[in-house]
Amino acid sequence: AVPAGGKISLTGARGSIDVQAGSRLDASGTSASIDLPVDVRGGVVRRRVASAGGSIELRATESVQVQGELRAAAGIGET
């Protein structure tokens, strides 16, 4: 199995969160080539398998300002 993207959770219990320009929060998934069984005789085929994207959660009591990039895309596999 290909692990899913991560989880980013930022909490400003008092105050604000500021994701500044030029920054990136990335919880994207990935992909990997793995051998998948195709028959009972032990035959395999190599395929690029993708994982799900993760999640990004931003919470603050006063404000959240996002000028940077947020990413949580799925990986890219074969269709």
Side-chain angles (χ1 to χ4, degrees):
V2 180
K7 178 179 181 178
I8 299 172
S9 180
L10 301 176
T11 302
R14 292 187 349 198
S16 302
I17 294 174
D18 184 8
V19 181
Q20 297 184 352
S23 65
R24 177 187 303 160
L25 301 180
D26 193 341
S28 294
T30 189
S31 62
S33 292
I34 61 174
D35 293 331
L36 298 172
V38 292
D39 59 42
V40 295
R41 295 181 308 236
V44 296
V45 63
R46 184 164 288 237
R47 294 281 188 245
R48 182 157 288 280
V49 178
S51 70
S55 64
I56 299 172
E57 178 182 36
L58 306 174
R59 293 176 170 223
T61 55
E62 294 184 24
S63 68
V64 174
Q65 182 174 0
V66 178
Q67 294 178 326
E69 182 179 0
L70 305 179
R71 297 175 97 181
I76 299 173
E78 295 180 68
T79 57

